[in-house]
Amino acid sequence: MRIAGQKDWKDPGLEDKISSVIHIVDYLIEEAIKRRASDIHIEPQKDAVLIRTRIDGLLKNLLFLPKSLQAPLISRIKVMANMDIAEKRLPQDGRIKASFGKRMLDLRISVIPALHGEKAVLRLLDVDATSIPLESMGCTHDTYEKLLSLIERPQGVIFITGPTGSGKTSTLYACLNHIKSENINLITLEDPIEYEMGGVTQIAINEKIGLTFTETLRSVLRQDPDVIMVGEMRDTETARIAMQASLTGHLVFSTLHTNDSVSAVTRLLDMGIPPYLIASSLSGVLAQRLVRVICPRCKETYQPSVEERIQLGVGPQDDLGPLYQGRGCSYCDLTGFYGRTGLFEFFNLDEDVRTLINSGAPDSLIRDRAQANGMQPLRKAGLIKIKEGKTTPKEVLRVTTR
């Protein structure tokens, strides 16, 4: 084994090699937990195997392994995840449940054939992550209160939007945890189920056997649900059924991949959902991003560049107060950041916005009206975090476009 830039270890004999693979997999998982990683990437190179971990949203090289360990390493992971070790031509998915100390982990495994051999990605899902309170997600007080007013209603559709890895699922689970009780029937449709929730009926979608979002949602509506969570709106029919369900007294949560909250309307229109159905059923859209938090142990003040101020929409005369960055230390692994927090843009539909949607108004007009109604764009939400000393201008600019 070697860290990037160091000499590789000598190839052991076959018996030592197989024996060491078991310890290597355990080491990788333990090291990932220690470093707060969300994913482990096992990437075959031409003459080595690169191991990378995703920490606070960014990948970082962990170590290199000799090429001779590639096949037994992937086979070991496949065995643990109940995959077919003989199948090397097709992608495979699996899961591993494990406990490390007092933490229960659910590892989601994906193996896919690549140029130099099979690549594996292990996603580490903390079973206790569902207990994160909604108020701890990083919302401003105003956004939190508006979101709370919507999720406590008996009906409507609420979308969480953002790119992959922006924390949408965590926010969905936080919302469900807040409202679940013995008085309501809460059913989720997920592909796959990421976290187990007590008191909730969770259904794993399996399109290979015909258990699709659309067909399952139709059946769920006959199960007397109060609240339905659809993991992702992937097709027109699922979106149409979900939005019609909200008109018959159901509260529906789901996710969309859009750049901001207002773009969810355009996405639904592109999917073929009529404007009148969007205007009458959509309650609100929460767009979000995750930014890294400045390490508390090496935090220091600094002056932002002119370019950063321009991109943030801050003039030279505006006083930002003291700004901070992380110098880099052993606690944060020399990154200057430790942990992440959310930036949120909440699009709350009022009657004027519904009228604009019904009339086919462009995004720009709907966005202007929403901002006049108090919607705070993602970048402005980031500016608040900067002024609070939680993150840096570069970090906000990295994850936001406006």
Side-chain angles (χ1 to χ4, degrees), residues 68 102 195 220 230 233 235 272 283 391 400:
S68 57
K102 295 182 179 179
Y195 303 104
V220 162
V230 182
M233 290 296 181
D235 59 81
S283 296
T391 192
T400 62

Side-chain angles (χ1 to χ4, degrees), residues 122-224:
L122 290 68
R123 169 152 290 187
L124 283 66
L125 302 173
D126 193 333
V127 174
D128 295 328
T130 55
S131 62
I132 298 174
L134 189 60
E135 59 269 22
S136 300
M137 300 299 291
C139 297
T140 62
H141 179 74
D142 182 55
T143 298
Y144 171 72
E145 291 295 329
K146 288 178 179 178
L147 179 60
L148 211 58
S149 70
L150 290 192
I151 68 175
E152 291 177 349
R153 291 181 185 177
Q155 65 186 66
V157 178
I158 300 170
F159 282 111
I160 312 293
T161 75
T164 301
S166 59
K168 299 187 298 296
T169 302
S170 295
T171 300
L172 275 178
Y173 277 108
C175 290
L176 298 183
N177 260 319
H178 182 84
I179 62 174
K180 74 173 184 178
S181 74
E182 64 177 25
N183 302 314
I184 65 172
N185 180 18
L186 203 162
I187 302 177
T188 72
L189 288 65
E190 305 174 64
D191 183 20
I193 295 173
E194 294 201 5
Y195 303 104
E196 293 183 17
M197 296 183 70
V200 176
T201 302
Q202 295 177 272
I203 302 170
I205 298 302
N206 188 344
E207 297 193 355
K208 292 180 181 178
I209 62 171
L211 192 66
T212 63
F213 275 111
T214 302
E215 294 304 319
T216 308
L217 184 55
R218 285 197 180 101
S219 298
V220 162
L221 290 172
R222 296 191 286 272
Q223 290 281 316
D224 185 33

Side-chain angles (χ1 to χ4, degrees), residues 276-331:
Y276 76 87
L277 187 55
I278 299 172
S280 57
S281 62
L282 187 60
S283 296
V285 183
L286 184 72
Q288 69 179 72
R289 298 291 188 276
L290 292 177
V291 291
R292 293 180 293 171
V293 175
I294 300 169
C295 175
R297 297 193 182 180
C298 60
K299 192 173 184 178
E300 61 182 15
T301 58
Y302 92 109
Q303 285 296 325
S305 67
V306 175
E307 184 181 355
E308 286 175 337
R309 294 180 70 99
I310 292 172
Q311 288 180 300
L312 288 170
V314 178
Q317 73 283 356
D318 296 322
D319 181 22
L320 287 175
L323 298 189
Y324 299 89
Q325 64 181 4
R327 183 177 62 256
C329 63
S330 58
Y331 181 69

